[in-house]
Amino acid sequence: MLDRIDRKIIEVLQQNSRASFVEIGKQIPLSASSARERIQKLEDLEIIKAYSLKVDHAKMGFGLEVFIMIKLFSGKLKSFMGAIDSFPEVKRASRITGSHNIHMKVVLKDQLHLQQFIDKLINYGEPTTHLILSELK
Amino acid sequence: MLDRIDRKIIEVLQQNSRASFVEIGKQIPLSASSARERIQKLEDLEIIKAYSLKVDHAKMGFGLEVFIMIKLFSGKLKSFMGAIDSFPEVKRASRITGSHNIHMKVVLKDQLHLQQFIDKLINYGEPTTHLILSELK
DNA sequence: ACTGAAAGCGACCAGAT
DNA sequence: ATCTGGTCGCTTTCAGT
């Protein structure tokens, strides 16, 4: 249901999602129209969920990147899930197992910004913050 | 150094990094060639670091997604940083502050695969695993 | 499922404001 | 810094295998 060629296509797109069908085809190898057809199918099956972008947050003025885990107060899950979309600082969030219910990647300008953000979170639960020092992968 | 138009371009590309320059230009609004020129600059400055892809790992046969944090044994940092590229299961890894030194997002086929992966990690430190239940954002 | 051809559209490079 | 016009290459569709 997902063969070597599909996996290769996904690999190429992971490295450069703006690659043309011609370029992708060359690396398989496959004609541009066949590459296009397979990618169309991967999109339709929602195996490819989105074409996105990696940006340098620090260069955009957000020098502080952190992981925050929250132990939500009981009954706060629903309201927190609603609020999360209104926090532009939150780049990703997941429900997880363990003593903390939520894991987030958060991007902030500076310590003051972090403090203000944590002040909002403590309405929902007990946050634990880990600064990201560097990306290894 | 990075105006409203640049931010808007990045926003558009974050939603669909395969958008054509014409499409991007329409949403600013800006001519295609000006959009192209600005994007070129964002790439040159490495504010745009990569064009990437979001895939549904579960549909690719990797039904288990976890966060693993490791408290490395002393002196193991360098060898771990070297080994990390050889683990295809690791999608992202960061050095972080706190009692654990490393945070990773890891994608695995099943429990057995997780067990085998953890067995590799215990050469480097003490791992703590959190299953990802769902993605909120 | 893949290819190849043809038409239309976008990318890319000039040159001008 | 942005735009317009022109060329070339890519995308897209479709008929054929």
Side-chain angles (χ1 to χ4, degrees):
Chain A
M1 159 215 157
L2 195 73
D3 65 10
R4 219 203 97 271
I5 295 175
D6 291 320
R7 290 177 196 281
K8 180 91 183 187
I9 287 173
I10 287 168
E11 219 172 89
V12 173
L13 285 171
Q14 260 163 357
Q15 282 167 3
N16 176 19
S17 63
R18 282 184 76 80
S20 71
F21 296 122
V22 173
E23 282 175 68
I24 296 162
K26 271 180 193 159
Q27 297 191 46
I28 303 302
L30 202 65
S31 70
S33 41
S34 292
R36 186 190 179 285
E37 204 171 299
R38 276 175 177 267
I39 289 166
Q40 186 65 56
K41 188 183 289 176
L42 292 170
E43 289 173 3
D44 293 344
L45 294 172
E46 287 176 297
I47 289 168
I48 292 177
K49 291 192 291 184
Y51 298 101
S52 193
L53 197 62
K54 288 202 197 312
V55 300
D56 190 320
H57 296 290
K59 287 182 180 157
M60 291 186 70
F62 291 81
L64 209 48
E65 298 185 53
V66 304
F67 292 120
I68 300 180
M69 289 154 97
I70 311 182
K71 184 180 168 61
L72 290 172
F73 301 135
S74 80
K76 286 285 189 182
L77 176 61
K78 270 213 180 101
S79 66
F80 180 77
M81 283 171 65
I84 211 168
D85 285 322
S86 66
F87 299 143
E89 297 93 343
V90 177
K91 294 300 163 192
R92 288 190 295 273
S94 315
R95 289 189 62 185
I96 59 170
T97 61
S99 64
H100 293 75
N101 325 67
I102 302 288
H103 180 283
M104 301 186 291
K105 166 126 181 240
V106 183
V107 169
L108 305 135
K109 288 201 282 282
D110 49 34
Q111 293 97 321
L112 177 60
H113 190 187
L114 173 58
Q115 180 182 317
Q116 291 166 341
F117 184 72
I118 287 174
D119 285 346
K120 289 188 208 166
L121 289 181
I122 57 181
N123 296 311
Y124 300 96
E126 287 177 28
T128 304
T129 304
H130 299 269
L131 300 191
I132 298 174
L133 302 173
S134 62
E135 309 272 352
L136 305 179
K137 190 174 186 179
Chain B
M1 159 219 156
L2 195 71
D3 64 12
R4 219 203 97 269
I5 296 176
D6 290 320
R7 292 177 195 281
K8 178 90 183 186
I9 286 173
I10 287 168
E11 219 172 87
V12 172
L13 284 171
Q14 261 164 357
Q15 282 167 3
N16 177 19
S17 63
R18 281 184 77 79
S20 71
F21 296 125
V22 173
E23 284 175 65
I24 296 161
K26 272 181 195 159
Q27 299 191 47
I28 303 302
L30 201 66
S31 72
S33 44
S34 292
R36 185 188 179 283
E37 203 171 300
R38 276 175 177 268
I39 289 167
Q40 185 66 54
K41 188 183 288 175
L42 292 170
E43 290 172 6
D44 293 343
L45 293 171
E46 288 176 297
I47 290 168
I48 291 176
K49 291 193 291 187
Y51 298 101
S52 193
L53 198 62
K54 289 202 197 310
V55 300
D56 189 320
H57 296 291
K59 287 182 179 157
M60 291 186 70
F62 291 81
L64 255 188
E65 298 184 53
V66 304
F67 292 121
I68 301 180
M69 292 155 96
I70 310 182
K71 185 179 168 61
L72 289 172
F73 302 136
S74 79
K76 286 285 189 180
L77 176 61
K78 272 215 180 97
S79 66
F80 179 76
M81 283 171 64
I84 210 167
D85 285 323
S86 65
F87 299 143
E89 296 93 343
V90 176
K91 294 301 163 191
R92 290 191 294 273
S94 315
R95 289 189 64 185
I96 58 170
T97 60
S99 64
H100 292 76
N101 325 68
I102 302 288
H103 180 283
M104 303 186 290
K105 166 124 182 242
V106 183
V107 169
L108 306 135
K109 286 200 283 282
D110 49 34
Q111 291 97 322
L112 177 60
H113 189 188
L114 173 59
Q115 180 181 318
Q116 291 166 343
F117 184 72
I118 288 175
D119 285 346
K120 289 188 206 166
L121 289 182
I122 57 181
N123 295 312
Y124 300 97
E126 287 177 29
T128 303
T129 303
H130 299 270
L131 300 191
I132 298 174
L133 302 173
S134 62
E135 309 272 352
L136 305 179
K137 189 175 185 179

